[in-house]
Amino acid sequence: MVAQRLEEADILATYPSAKQRLLLFDYDGTLTPIVENPAAAILSENALRSIQTLATDPRNAVWIISGRDQSFLEQLFGRLIGVGLVAEHGSFLRSPGSDGWENLTAKVDMSWQEEVTKVFQRYTDLTPGSRIEKKRAAVVWHFRQASQDYATLQAAECKQDLESTIGTISPLEFINGKCVLEARLKSVNKGQIAQRLVDEIRAASGKPPDFVLCFGDDVTDEDMFCALRDSGLSKDTVYSVTIGESQKLTDADWILSDPTEVIATIRMLNESDGYIGGGGTGQNGNSKRDSKVLPVPRSYLLGPGP
């Protein structure tokens, strides 16, 4: 389906009054633009501070759910307080306040990776500029620095090759992403993580989150959108937001055009109490929130990016 443009008024209709919020962010293409050299995709200090501010609100559970490895996420986000991290699309999880990572694939047979790597190597040899990345629960063929027309055809052929061979005997799926072809376990994906985090909130408080905001831009993020859609949560409380062109087909209900709007939305949420009369309670114990949500100027949402 085609998603609807997300406006600030849509979120502010429910965010300020929610008591248990779950906020999920992909990294590449969502918090930062896709760039030729992934090492250059680093958030600004201002953007990191905005995420930290979001996480300091006790009503917010903030998670970065990325295909990046543990080392990258730890280096960039490890100093942030109250931010949970998920690496390699769901293979590793580090809860807020924890120093260690939970390996969610520790007991999974990974012998299939050797055969997949052999297939990828054949296509790497044929495609200058491409490379192989081996992860804990996936093997990825990257071709962003290759000739795109040729590499795209090679990726389609490679996918067919894998599906007709090792894909018939192993529990794998092969995903065409943005200049990547990824072979991964069907049981390890971002959707499983999104459902787990919803369930953990429900188990801890006896109630599900009453506000969920999930941002992602790629095929692997569609797993989160589908999981949240099927989670049993009220549709009015879930905001699944894809990033990209307005006519892209997606399971998300909402869309923003690029990462600058994602960061601006985070800033807007951090300031949302100020637009509705402030948060918390006054000295007399009465809520300082006005029941009327005042409009946030559109220029705020479309303000400076990271």
Side-chain angles (χ1 to χ4, degrees):
M1 66 180 182
V2 177
Q4 179 181 345
R5 166 79 188 184
L6 181 68
E7 301 289 350
E8 58 268 27
D10 298 317
I11 296 181
L12 292 183
T14 53
Y15 179 82
S17 61
K19 293 179 171 52
Q20 292 188 109
R21 306 162 177 158
L22 177 61
L23 301 106
L24 311 176
F25 299 93
D26 169 50
Y27 186 72
D28 292 284
T30 299
L31 290 174
T32 63
I34 297 290
V35 295
E36 185 172 339
N37 179 9
I42 302 297
L43 276 175
S44 69
E45 283 298 316
N46 284 338
L48 287 169
R49 280 195 292 270
S50 293
I51 294 172
Q52 176 65 93
T53 299
L54 198 67
T56 57
D57 189 321
R59 294 167 293 182
N60 293 344
V62 178
W63 288 82
I64 309 298
I65 304 180
S66 173
R68 297 278 192 150
D69 61 22
Q70 300 154 272
S71 176
F72 177 88
L73 294 182
E74 203 162 57
Q75 181 177 1
L76 186 59
F77 296 103
R79 58 191 169 91
L80 302 188
I81 299 171
V83 176
L85 304 176
V86 176
E88 297 191 18
H89 300 307
S91 297
F92 299 91
L93 181 147
R94 197 185 86 166
S95 297
S98 173
D99 292 329
W101 290 83
E102 180 182 356
N103 184 350
L104 303 180
T105 62
K107 298 181 180 179
V108 179
D109 179 11
M110 296 294 176
S111 59
W112 55 269
Q113 289 187 319
E114 183 177 352
E115 292 302 315
V116 169
T117 301
K118 289 179 181 178
V119 175
F120 278 164
Q121 188 61 57
R122 293 205 304 270
Y123 287 88
T124 301
D125 294 341
L126 294 169
T127 312
S130 65
R131 65 181 178 87
I132 300 169
E133 178 187 9
K134 186 174 180 181
K135 299 183 178 182
R136 170 60 194 171
V139 183
V140 186
W141 188 51
H142 296 267
F143 51 90
R144 182 170 300 281
Q145 296 179 326
S147 172
Q148 288 302 293
D149 290 343
Y150 176 72
T152 299
L153 292 174
Q154 290 292 89
E157 183 178 327
C158 181
K159 182 180 179 182
Q160 291 180 347
D161 192 350
L162 290 166
E163 288 175 338
S164 63
T165 55
I166 189 171
T168 64
I169 58 176
S170 299
L172 304 176
E173 58 184 348
F174 307 100
I175 307 296
N176 280 320
K178 293 183 177 178
C179 297
V180 299
L181 174 60
E182 180 169 340
R184 67 179 190 182
L185 288 166
K186 292 180 180 179
S187 60
V188 179
N189 59 67
K190 293 183 177 184
Q192 298 286 339
I193 295 297
Q195 184 62 60
R196 168 176 167 159
L197 297 177
V198 169
D199 292 342
E200 287 182 351
I201 291 176
R202 181 185 284 114
S205 66
K207 297 180 180 179
D210 52 359
F211 178 90
V212 180
L213 181 60
C214 177
F215 289 102
D217 76 301
D218 208 350
V219 177
T220 56
D221 301 306
E222 296 292 324
D223 293 325
M224 291 195 290
F225 304 150
C226 291
L228 292 171
R229 180 194 62 202
D230 300 334
S231 64
L233 296 172
S234 170
K235 182 177 175 61
D236 295 337
T237 67
V238 176
Y239 295 81
S240 55
V241 187
T242 191
I243 314 304
E245 298 177 358
S246 61
Q247 296 303 307
K248 71 185 291 188
L249 296 179
T250 177
D251 283 298
D253 293 319
W254 307 90
I255 190 166
L256 290 175
S257 63
D258 57 54
T260 63
E261 294 194 330
V262 177
I263 298 300
T265 300
I266 294 173
R267 292 172 177 151
M268 182 266 291
L269 293 178
N270 286 333
E271 298 295 330
S272 62
D273 282 346
Y275 285 96
I276 63 169
T281 57
Q283 292 181 351
N284 60 2
N286 295 326
S287 172
K288 291 164 61 181
R289 286 194 176 87
D290 194 324
S291 60
K292 180 180 179 181
V293 178
L294 301 181
V296 177
R298 182 162 181 75
S299 60
Y300 190 89
L301 180 58
L302 300 180

